[in-house]
Amino acid sequence: MATFGVGSRLGYVDTNPDRSAGLVAAVAAGIPWAVICGGAASELLGFGTVLAIVAGLLTGCLVSAATAFSREDIGSTVPLGALSIVTGLVFLTSVLGPEWVWSLGWEQPASLTAEFVIPIGTLLNAMFAGWAASKAYGGFGARGRHVGAYVLVYLNALSIVAFLFVLVAFTVVRGVPGLLNGAEFGLGVGPATTIELAGFGFTFVWPFSVPFVMNGVALLNDFQGVLPAIVGTIWLVVGAVLFAVPLGIGAAIFLTEYAEQGPFTQAVEIATNGLWSTPSIVFGLFGFAFLIPRFGNSKSLLAGMLTLGFMLLPLVLITSREAMISVPDEYRDASAALGVSKWQTIRSVVLPAALPGVVTGVILGVGRIAGETAPILLTMAGGTFVPGSQTADVIGGFGFVASPPFVTNPELLQATSALPYQLFALITAGVGLGDNVANPDEFRWATALVLLVVVLSFYAVGIATRYYFRRKLSYE
Amino acid sequence: MSEIESTQTQTHQSTASQPSQTTNGESDEQLREAWTDHAFDGDTKLAVDGLDVHYGDDHALKDVSMEIPERSVTALIGPSGCGKSTFLRCLNRMNDRIPSARVDGSVRLDGSELYQEGVDLVELRKRVGMVFQSPNPFPKSIRDNISYGPRKHGDIDTGLIARMIGRSDERQERQLVEQSLRQAALWDEVRDRLDDNALGLSGGQQQRLCIARALATDPEVLLMDEPASALDPIATSKIEELIHELSREYTVVIVTHNMQQAERISDQTAVFLTGGKLVEYGDTEQIFDDPRSQRVDDYISGKFG
Ligand SMILES: Nc1ncnc2c1ncn2[C@@H]1O[C@H](COP(=O)(O)OP(=O)(O)OP(=O)(O)O)[C@@H](O)[C@H]1O
Ligand SMILES: [Mg+2]
């Protein structure tokens, strides 16, 4: 690559470089050189801290200047090319071998190990080299920069995807053994479900049995599981969404379509933004101090739902409002000119057009609340191990009575667990799990995996909903 | 009307009855009296009196008075920015929706004042429909765009409950959609894709869709702001035919920048000139063949504006 740059400078290759590689390239080339020379000065030549920093800065400035003041083909290839060569040599000649540790010498015993430095160094080098190479490929000049920027942006996006992928893959690999502990597949191995239809009971036997997600914890179980927590998490999210979404959308409609824009709406806006930034433990405390005394003085699913609902509310409000504001006024005018009332316009034109935005907000919010630990700790409890009997049967729990409030549901008032809290409890419980669970580490990772899957499923449902509404609005 | 005015009017009428004496360059007052006293064919549908519109400090319409007869086509012409759209929006109170707009004066529809307390705007806009200057279809299917108005008015019900009790008006809906689209000369182009999103139509098609949408609600008065600005000659002539057709039953007020079009389709023409003034108003033939005002003459013959 550096050769290519020199070749171009000497006229062997046909390119059309600018006069200078530009400020960005100069800074980008200067910083790594400053770091390397600073490090080398202090480690290899034994300079003191101040001297090393000065030496590093000097080199950095020199390289920057060299990059900026030479013609673009030289400036954007040679410093970065040399950087790659130097780091490559450093790694190859084992100046930084696998055993290398750089103790930073702060009060805490912090150190940079080769395990960390080498991959990062390689990645950075690859990025710089890719950038310079793509510039060269584009023949420098405007086109070269365009190609270079494109490659950088592309690499950036790719690294985000890669990071997510690594995270998920890591959890899956560690979690699957625990998840499949005692799992069986095949006809007739699963639990039986009976469906009553018009007096006939159909019994259906699932063709698989995965005890980890089908059991609670009990002494006699062959394999322990986290079913109560899964069900708890799902009901929590459903309850919070049912509570927050109608309220949030209603408030957004009022603020956008009806309220006079002025100090009042601004105050509400600031308050909502503030609420959204409030730490979740504060919401948890609120639920603990305010809701629990009102629901029979014990931790309950309902208290958890409402607490998380309050947490979700501001985000739903903010995003719904943004979405409604961005619905063009032409639609409202068109509807009004047809002699349609304001409320009907909102219902049939504004809301449908705003729905994808609202759904995006709900997705983001659910992602946050589904993983919350602190509020659940304070309002819903549960424990390290939750017996299967604590699985909330919310639908079956509804009962009707003749006196107010007419509907009762003891299940809602019962303490139950949720995945993030159970995970937290499992981790803080440390090693004393041996009696119940053969392999606690597997159990924890499997719980994490299930939590991830549950949250991602909510996410998938949200994306599908949004896709559906978007399709209705657009015209491909 | 005060007595002095009516005497003046009489004097003026006597001069007006002698065409040879009509000179270009009459004063604004004389011109105004000419049209306030002119008897147009048909009963008055809309009577505008002393209408002033301000946008903030910007005086966009200045003291406009005119009467629009029933079952006819009235064309509004004038240079860009002279207040034609503003005037049109006064007739169905769409200006109420612009926060900075202030309207003074009086507009009467069938004799009842629009600018007074207690007027039901929803009811008013059902009676006075509007086609906007820029097409603004809803992000819904073509069919839903057309049936939107009637559905919300409760004239057509294809909802779930209606379908369950067997009272669904799907047949009426289909007929209405077809009829409106045929009238707006769009049917042949979209008959096979009524369920497609209306935003996928071309600009000219959207314009006709908006005409069809306004027709579907069956208003008494139809306000059209340059309804043919994006149409090819064939579609334009179809729309002109439609307007002519409509004028048998409806009152149509149309803004256009196309003089020939105004001359072809309208019964009355009103000429607004820069500054938000209505300069001359009268039967179309008279305006185009023998305008009283020098400025209108210049504008029509293309010397100005
Ligand atoms: N919503 C508004 N807010 C402020 N001023 C406005 C608004 N609408 C129109 N105006 C002003 O009122 C004047 C008349 O505008 P109007 O839209 O009625 O013109 P027009 O005759 O319809 O022009 P065109 O032929 O270009 O459509 C213009 O000076 C314009 O700047
Ligand atoms: Mg206009």
Side-chain angles (χ1 to χ4, degrees):
Chain A
M1 185 180 76
T3 327
F4 184 86
V6 176
S8 156
R9 171 76 245 210
L10 299 178
Y12 294 134
V13 200
D14 185 23
T15 55
N16 44 0
D18 283 359
R19 278 198 22 245
S20 154
L23 202 60
V24 180
V27 173
I31 291 178
W33 274 105
V35 171
I36 287 192
C37 288
S42 79
E43 290 296 294
L44 301 179
L45 308 179
F47 286 13
T49 315
V50 179
L51 262 182
I53 289 178
V54 171
L57 280 181
L58 262 180
T59 342
C61 289
L62 266 177
V63 174
S64 286
T67 310
F69 291 114
S70 54
R71 218 176 76 171
E72 193 195 9
D73 43 4
I74 294 281
S76 58
T77 53
V78 174
L80 292 176
L83 179 73
S84 298
I85 294 169
V86 168
T87 17
L89 281 178
V90 164
F91 292 161
L92 276 182
T93 54
S94 304
V95 176
L96 287 183
E99 311 298 302
W100 178 82
V101 171
W102 183 21
S103 167
L104 294 174
W106 293 331
E107 287 174 25
Q108 304 292 322
S111 59
L112 288 173
T113 59
E115 243 180 34
F116 174 75
V117 170
I118 292 181
I120 296 285
T122 317
L123 269 179
L124 276 177
N125 262 310
M127 208 178 80
F128 280 130
W131 184 35
S134 49
K135 270 193 182 179
Y137 174 76
F140 305 106
R143 201 176 109 72
R145 281 172 197 222
H146 184 84
V147 176
Y150 182 79
V151 165
L152 273 191
V153 172
Y154 195 74
L155 279 178
N156 186 7
L158 208 65
S159 66
I160 293 174
V161 176
F163 186 69
L164 180 70
F165 181 77
V166 167
L167 193 106
V168 172
F170 192 68
T171 320
V172 169
V173 168
R174 314 272 317 239
V176 161
L179 179 64
L180 294 183
N181 208 351
E184 287 179 78
F185 296 90
L187 279 181
V189 297
T193 312
T194 307
I195 306 166
E196 292 278 344
L197 249 184
F200 297 99
F202 295 99
T203 304
F204 174 74
V205 181
W206 296 88
F208 52 80
S209 157
V210 184
F212 189 77
V213 296
M214 289 177 172
N215 282 354
V217 173
L219 267 183
L220 298 178
N221 277 355
D222 293 337
F223 302 100
Q224 312 293 8
V226 291
L227 177 66
I230 297 175
V231 175
T233 299
I234 292 174
W235 276 118
L236 256 187
V237 170
V238 169
V241 166
L242 285 184
F243 171 74
V245 168
L247 265 185
I249 293 183
I253 289 176
F254 171 74
L255 287 174
T256 339
E257 306 285 330
Y258 289 99
E260 193 95 353
Q261 304 299 312
F264 173 69
T265 48
Q266 259 166 18
V268 173
E269 205 154 303
I270 291 170
T272 14
N273 289 340
L275 267 184
W276 175 241
S277 328
T278 305
S280 57
I281 186 80
V282 178
F283 278 97
L285 274 175
F286 165 76
F288 182 70
F290 185 81
L291 294 177
I292 286 183
R294 281 160 183 76
F295 298 132
N297 233 341
S298 70
K299 299 184 180 177
S300 64
L301 183 57
L302 186 60
M305 282 176 177
L306 288 182
T307 310
L308 292 189
F310 279 120
M311 276 182 63
L312 185 58
L313 190 56
L315 188 70
V316 174
L317 176 52
I318 294 168
T319 48
S320 312
R321 195 162 139 67
E322 287 302 323
M324 281 176 208
I325 287 175
S326 62
V327 174
D329 270 341
E330 278 85 63
Y331 296 165
R332 298 185 179 91
D333 284 345
S335 180
L338 289 170
V340 174
S341 69
K342 189 163 187 172
W343 171 239
Q344 280 185 319
T345 303
I346 292 169
R347 243 188 35 196
S348 357
V349 179
V350 179
L351 272 187
L355 262 180
V358 176
V359 174
T360 305
V362 176
I363 294 174
L364 289 175
V366 164
R368 181 181 172 191
I369 61 164
E372 274 306 339
T373 311
I376 299 172
L377 168 80
L378 289 169
T379 56
M380 239 175 82
T384 320
F385 292 114
V386 190
S389 64
Q390 277 199 25
T391 309
D393 179 12
V394 174
I395 295 175
F398 275 109
F400 298 94
V401 288
S403 62
F406 302 112
V407 188
T408 60
N409 194 340
E411 294 286 338
L412 277 178
L413 297 177
Q414 201 193 45
T416 182
S417 190
L419 287 165
Y421 178 64
Q422 178 153 21
L423 188 57
F424 167 75
L426 282 170
I427 291 168
T428 46
V431 283
L433 302 171
D435 302 347
N436 269 313
V437 177
N439 187 343
D441 210 38
E442 260 186 10
F443 197 82
R444 289 181 198 128
W445 276 108
T447 311
L449 174 60
V450 171
L451 174 60
L452 194 68
V453 169
V454 169
V455 173
L456 289 184
S457 318
F458 279 122
Y459 185 66
V461 171
I463 298 275
T465 324
R466 184 171 64 181
Y467 177 74
Y468 170 75
F469 287 126
R470 278 227 179 110
R471 268 252 322 250
K472 272 180 55 169
L473 289 176
S474 64
Y475 47 84
E476 300 95 70
Chain B
M1 220 182 254
S2 76
E3 242 173 75
I4 309 167
E5 268 176 329
S6 51
T7 17
Q8 274 181 346
T9 325
Q10 268 160 15
T11 354
H12 188 82
Q13 249 181 349
S14 52
T15 35
S17 57
Q18 293 162 299
S20 56
Q21 286 189 7
T22 312
T23 52
N24 287 337
E26 285 174 277
S27 75
D28 287 353
E29 284 72 30
Q30 285 172 315
L31 284 168
R32 169 190 298 234
E33 278 143 19
W35 80 70
T36 41
D37 294 316
H38 182 77
F40 291 103
D41 295 339
D43 297 337
T44 301
K45 184 77 182 175
L46 281 157
V48 179
D49 195 19
L51 195 67
D52 273 275
V53 179
H54 295 259
Y55 292 110
D57 293 332
D58 184 12
H59 201 166
L61 264 193
K62 294 186 185 120
D63 193 21
V64 174
S65 304
M66 65 189 281
E67 293 187 348
I68 295 170
E70 199 175 39
R71 296 172 212 270
S72 67
V73 180
T74 305
L76 310 178
I77 60 174
S80 184
C82 67
K84 306 179 296 292
S85 300
T86 302
F87 178 75
L88 213 57
R89 281 200 299 266
C90 290
L91 303 183
N92 64 349
R93 288 192 61 172
M94 283 299 280
N95 275 331
D96 290 23
R97 301 176 58 80
I98 301 173
S100 67
R102 202 182 79 232
V103 180
D104 304 296
S106 132
V107 178
R108 271 164 295 150
L109 174 65
D110 285 336
S112 66
E113 177 62 49
L114 299 187
Y115 286 90
Q116 65 181 356
E117 297 266 316
V119 173
D120 182 351
L121 292 184
V122 173
E123 233 12 82
L124 165 66
R125 289 172 191 152
K126 277 186 203 170
R127 295 176 61 193
V128 185
M130 183 166 201
V131 177
F132 290 81
Q133 186 160 10
S134 44
N136 52 359
F138 299 120
K140 298 173 183 287
S141 71
I142 295 172
R143 184 199 316 279
D144 287 349
N145 262 280
I146 306 286
S147 58
Y148 178 79
R151 266 188 211 196
K152 300 299 147 190
H153 298 167
D155 299 338
I156 281 185
D157 190 355
T158 56
L160 193 62
I161 297 175
R163 253 181 287 168
M164 280 192 324
I165 62 173
R167 286 279 187 89
S168 177
D169 303 322
E170 272 165 63
R171 218 166 53 86
Q172 283 100 309
E173 187 193 16
R174 261 203 312 278
Q175 281 174 352
L176 181 77
V177 169
E178 177 172 347
Q179 183 200 337
S180 311
L181 286 171
R182 273 191 197 284
Q183 283 182 310
L186 188 60
W187 175 251
D188 292 331
E189 283 157 71
V190 301
R191 59 187 305 167
D192 298 326
R193 47 176 180 144
L194 292 177
D195 289 315
D196 286 8
N197 196 297
L199 296 183
L201 295 175
S202 77
Q205 289 171 329
Q206 291 189 4
Q207 209 163 31
R208 281 173 283 160
L209 180 73
C210 292
I211 296 174
R213 183 176 66 183
L215 291 176
T217 58
D218 198 25
E220 297 166 29
V221 180
L222 192 58
L223 312 174
M224 303 174 112
D225 203 340
E226 293 187 49
S229 61
L231 301 187
D232 63 277
I234 296 171
T236 304
S237 76
K238 283 190 186 153
I239 294 298
E240 288 179 6
E241 225 167 85
L242 164 74
I243 292 171
H244 185 72
E245 203 61 25
L246 289 174
S247 66
R248 300 220 179 110
E249 274 188 60
Y250 303 90
T251 308
V252 181
V253 184
I254 175 174
V255 172
T256 175
H257 278 291
N258 182 333
M259 305 293 167
Q260 288 79 35
Q261 187 174 58
E263 201 173 352
R264 275 196 301 269
I265 60 174
S266 68
D267 303 304
Q268 297 80 232
T269 300
V271 188
F272 289 75
L273 289 181
T274 314
K277 277 197 178 136
L278 174 56
V279 179
E280 193 166 347
Y281 175 46
D283 291 324
T284 298
E285 262 173 45
Q286 179 253 312
I287 296 281
F288 280 93
D289 297 343
D290 183 23
R292 291 164 194 274
S293 155
Q294 183 64 48
R295 288 154 72 204
V296 170
D297 199 5
D298 289 349
Y299 177 68
I300 289 171
S301 54
K303 283 184 210 148
F304 149 78

